[in-house]
Amino acid sequence: MAFWWPLIVIAIAFAICKLLLMLIPDNVPSIDVDTSDVLDDGNQTKDNSFIYIPSRRHTDKVQCYEPATMKYLGYFPALKPDEVKERVVQARKAQKIWAKSSFKQRRLFLRILLKYIIEHQDLICNISSRDTGKTMVDASLGEIMTTCEKIHWLLSEGEKWLKPEYRSCGRSMLHKVAKVEFSPLGVVGAIVSWNYPFHNIFNPMLAAVFSGNSIVIKVSEHASWSGCFYLRIIQTALAAVGAPENLVEVITGFAETGEALVSSVDKIIFVGSPGVGKKIMRSASDTLIPVTLELGGKDAFIVCEDVDVPHVAQIAARGALQSSGQNCAGAERFYVHKDVYSSFVAEVVKIVKSVTAGPPLSGKYDMGAICMQEHSERLQYLVNDALDKGAEIVARGSVGNIGEGAVDQYFPPTVIVNVNHTMKLMQEEAFGPILPIMKFSSDEEVVQLANDSSYGLGCAVFSGSQRRARQIASQLHCGVAAVNDFASNYMCQSLPFGGVKDSGFGRFAGIEGLRACCLVKSVVEDRWWPFIKTKIPKPIQYPIAENGFEFQESLVHTLYGLNIWDRLRALVNVLKILSEQPPAPTSNRRRND
């Protein structure tokens, strides 16, 4: 017992010291970001106070408007290829300087960002809401919390996972040290979607900058207004730590802007549709740069018969309806055991009937507008196809007072039953507030149904038996699985995020995502240099001795033989050959002489 007392005292003292350090205010500088042109104070000029009718054709400008009200927000240039390449050139110059920065400087940059985000949550969520139509609560959940968690993880563990990692050197190289080094790639390019304009910019940016890269981010034409404001926050924080200009750039435009970015950078991260993802891969093949693709999903939400039905129904509704269906990891296919099917549908119907869509900033609506113009028409097409094939709508939420001329930007939350896999609604990504619910009878059946999809991003499995839920989840072919929960994976930023099949490949977030921004280099060096070095044994030195192969054969047995006696016998032969040192074979020419 006396032996343990000092250890206990040391542990208590350490815990007390750590607590005291937490109580000391962190000396993090504040930054001042200009918000004068993004705050909706009711005093807009004539140029940005009218209702905007989006053009169907691309121009040299990216026009921005609020999907919830159609109020005009302004425009940004659609950059041409030469302009994109010039931005990348400037980012490359900045990266060469930043690559020499210390982790202390990089952590300060993260702390400044974290402080600003926490102190300006209302501003950030307001801008995200205005540009994409999501509610303030959904913006907080998907934009603020996930970004803060990523920053916290990088501050806690980022440096640890970027330091050289030592590996075993094997039996034949016992005198060596083997390690993996992680150095910056250079300029990372990212083409991101509109659904989470704040987090989709910060997510790749944080990993790229913390690992010593620069980054150029092409934001969606549907969320350029917010993206360009969020760049101000980043650049102001970078300036506060003395980082070079142009280390982080946000560019705006359409397809040719993205194509030019792919052809100019050292790695590309793409978040979007499978069709565009394939085009990205083709373009990236010209320069053979690494590619990470996150291409959406058709996530299965599985409910076994032994669950707390009201609890799981509430989670299911959140999974399907979050951000008016703007959650790319959202639940899109619901499989419910036949024994609780009726009660689950009844609970979901009750929830959905209480949900109202409307202008999100009014504060009284559960869901906002659909971001993309005409997307509600596609959602109705998927619903109509299901109805034509025998499905039935059992509940729809309501649409509030949204104002004249903007009706097509909203889609009421919808519950559909009697669905099957012949319907497009169960096969194609909807990206909308629709809950198609299908029965299953056994675990084997639901595994087969869930895997019957071209997508493979995520899944959620609910059962009163955690072991059972885990077993089902382990059989699903996807990249992200939540057991008795939904979307909790993304709040664990130590975990990689990504999918398989048409959901893409590669990972961002977590250790894998951080290291994916690095050149991974294997390094071997002498352990006791210069006293012990690799020396080529005499039998295999040039010119090779006649018993050179015999020596190699015995050496392999010595190092890798399956039992100790074979290895000892081989070692004796190795030593014997080394001691004999026969002369090198004479050439045929000398013999002929």
Side-chain angles (χ1 to χ4, degrees):
M1 188 65 182
F3 171 76
W4 290 105
W5 272 113
L7 294 179
I8 294 172
V9 171
I10 291 172
I12 293 173
F14 177 78
I16 292 173
C17 290
K18 196 165 185 178
L19 178 62
L20 291 174
L21 286 172
M22 291 174 63
L23 296 175
I24 299 173
D26 205 354
N27 187 22
V28 178
S30 296
I31 56 173
D32 184 22
V33 179
D34 180 19
T35 61
S36 59
D37 59 339
V38 296
L39 293 177
D40 186 5
D41 56 5
N43 297 316
Q44 291 86 359
T45 64
K46 182 178 180 181
D47 290 339
N48 66 348
S49 61
F50 60 87
I51 300 302
Y52 179 66
I53 306 300
S55 171
R56 289 179 177 268
R57 66 182 184 87
H58 292 166
T59 65
D60 60 346
K61 296 177 182 179
V62 178
Q63 306 282 8
C64 305
Y65 60 94
E66 293 182 8
T69 63
M70 304 305 291
K71 184 183 295 184
Y72 187 60
L73 294 171
Y75 69 88
F76 293 91
L79 297 185
K80 301 301 181 185
D82 57 337
E83 295 174 300
V84 174
K85 291 177 181 179
E86 178 57 30
R87 299 284 183 97
V88 173
V89 167
Q90 296 304 317
R92 197 173 298 283
K93 292 177 181 177
Q95 189 274 330
K96 294 184 184 302
I97 300 171
W98 183 249
K100 301 173 184 177
S101 64
S102 65
F103 281 110
K104 180 180 179 181
Q105 186 179 12
R106 299 176 195 180
R107 280 193 295 270
L108 180 59
F109 166 62
L110 297 189
R111 289 193 179 99
I112 291 172
L113 284 178
L114 183 59
K115 181 177 182 179
Y116 185 88
I117 293 168
I118 293 171
E119 293 177 351
H120 297 83
Q121 296 179 58
D122 182 83
L123 170 69
I124 293 168
C125 291
N126 184 287
I127 289 174
S128 178
S129 178
R130 290 183 66 190
D131 207 14
T132 65
K134 66 178 63 184
T135 64
M136 294 287 283
V137 169
D138 285 332
S140 177
L141 287 169
E143 308 272 35
I144 299 297
M145 289 188 68
T146 50
T147 304
C148 288
E149 184 61 35
K150 186 176 186 75
I151 293 175
H152 175 73
W153 178 75
L154 283 171
L155 288 170
S156 302
E157 300 186 37
E159 182 178 357
K160 168 187 173 182
W161 297 112
L162 292 176
K163 284 184 175 180
E165 183 177 289
Y166 288 87
R167 305 282 179 88
S168 63
C169 53
R171 289 180 176 178
S172 62
M173 291 287 126
L174 287 173
H175 60 297
K176 298 288 187 178
V177 172
K179 62 182 176 180
V180 181
E181 293 181 347
F182 305 94
S183 54
L185 279 173
V187 182
V188 174
I191 301 175
V192 298
S193 59
W194 49 267
N195 56 328
Y196 289 106
F198 181 75
H199 183 68
N200 283 349
I201 289 175
F202 273 69
N203 185 30
M205 181 278 297
L206 290 167
V209 170
F210 193 80
S211 54
N213 298 281
S214 60
I215 186 168
V216 180
I217 306 168
K218 192 268 179 190
V219 291
S220 168
E221 58 268 32
H222 302 291
S224 295
W225 179 75
S226 56
C228 289
F229 171 74
Y230 297 145
L231 175 64
R232 291 184 202 170
I233 301 173
I234 296 167
Q235 290 184 332
T236 307
L238 286 169
V241 299
E245 290 187 50
N246 310 118
L247 188 68
V248 177
E249 288 283 356
V250 165
I251 60 174
T252 52
F254 302 103
E256 70 168 358
T257 307
E259 291 168 2
L261 181 64
V262 175
S263 65
S264 307
V265 295
D266 302 305
K267 173 188 172 68
I268 194 72
I269 299 169
F270 174 72
V271 181
S273 68
V276 179
K278 292 175 182 178
K279 293 179 181 178
I280 296 288
M281 280 194 68
R282 283 193 286 268
S283 297
S285 68
D286 292 336
T287 50
L288 292 178
I289 59 170
V291 178
T292 296
L293 300 178
E294 198 277 275
L295 306 179
K298 195 74 182 170
D299 290 7
F301 191 106
I302 297 172
V303 182
C304 297
E305 75 281 4
D306 53 357
V307 300
D308 178 349
V309 171
H311 168 72
V312 178
Q314 184 64 233
I315 296 174
R318 166 61 67 178
L321 308 182
Q322 184 173 355
S323 302
S324 301
Q326 293 175 9
N327 183 3
C328 63
E332 290 214 349
R333 296 179 293 154
F334 294 82
Y335 301 102
V336 180
H337 194 277
K338 62 178 183 174
D339 291 349
V340 292
Y341 184 82
S342 298
S343 59
F344 180 84
V345 170
E347 286 291 337
V348 169
V349 165
K350 184 169 37 174
I351 295 168
V352 166
K353 284 184 175 180
S354 70
V355 174
T356 305
L361 290 178
S362 66
K364 59 183 179 180
Y365 296 108
D366 305 292
M367 296 190 339
I370 300 295
C371 182
M372 292 186 296
Q373 183 77 0
E374 300 177 350
H375 185 60
S376 57
E377 295 177 9
R378 167 168 165 73
L379 296 178
Q380 192 59 52
Y381 162 76
L382 294 176
V383 169
N384 291 342
D385 175 77
L387 296 177
D388 290 342
K389 294 174 180 176
E392 177 188 356
I393 295 176
V394 292
R396 299 199 93 164
S398 60
V399 175
N401 182 19
I402 58 176
E404 187 177 352
V407 177
D408 62 341
Q409 292 292 99
Y410 294 83
F411 194 88
T414 304
V415 182
I416 301 182
V417 297
N418 299 330
V419 294
N420 59 60
H421 281 206
T422 67
M423 301 169 183
K424 290 181 171 62
L425 183 60
M426 295 297 282
Q427 294 293 339
E428 299 179 13
E429 185 175 34
F431 231 124
I434 304 173
L435 289 86
I437 309 175
M438 186 173 177
K439 292 179 184 178
F440 73 90
S441 301
S442 67
D443 293 359
E444 291 76 19
E445 180 188 9
V446 78
V447 167
Q448 183 178 5
L449 288 169
N451 284 332
D452 180 28
S453 173
S454 60
Y455 290 98
L457 182 57
C459 70
V461 183
F462 291 81
S463 170
S465 165
Q466 185 141 329
R467 180 182 179 185
R468 179 187 179 189
R470 191 187 305 123
Q471 286 178 337
I472 293 173
S474 68
Q475 298 177 70
L476 303 186
H477 195 52
C478 59
V480 179
V483 173
N484 283 324
D485 207 341
F486 169 76
S488 53
N489 309 67
Y490 214 62
M491 287 308 295
C492 301
Q493 281 290 318
S494 63
L495 294 176
F497 185 85
V500 295
K501 299 190 284 189
D502 281 2
S503 290
F505 59 86
R507 298 293 183 265
F508 54 77
I511 301 161
E512 293 78 3
L514 182 62
R515 288 179 170 179
C517 293
C518 299
L519 168 63
V520 180
K521 184 184 296 183
S522 299
V523 179
V524 176
E525 59 184 86
D526 290 313
R527 190 185 300 274
W528 298 292
W529 187 88
F531 305 106
I532 299 178
K533 296 181 288 186
T534 300
K535 184 177 180 180
I536 299 174
K538 191 69 175 178
I540 59 173
Q541 289 183 10
Y542 291 120
I544 295 174
E546 291 181 354
N547 59 357
F549 181 74
E550 181 187 354
F551 170 81
Q552 274 299 118
E553 192 175 33
S554 297
L555 183 60
V556 171
H557 277 290
T558 301
L559 292 170
Y560 309 111
L562 297 181
N563 65 72
I564 187 65
W565 301 115
D566 288 345
R567 291 168 63 187
L568 286 174
R569 278 193 295 269
L571 177 60
V572 169
N573 199 40
V574 166
L575 295 175
K576 179 182 176 182
I577 294 172
L578 287 173
S579 63
E580 291 176 353
Q581 294 186 8
T586 56
S587 66
N588 290 335
R589 180 179 176 183
R590 175 168 289 184
R591 287 175 182 172
N592 292 336
D593 292 343

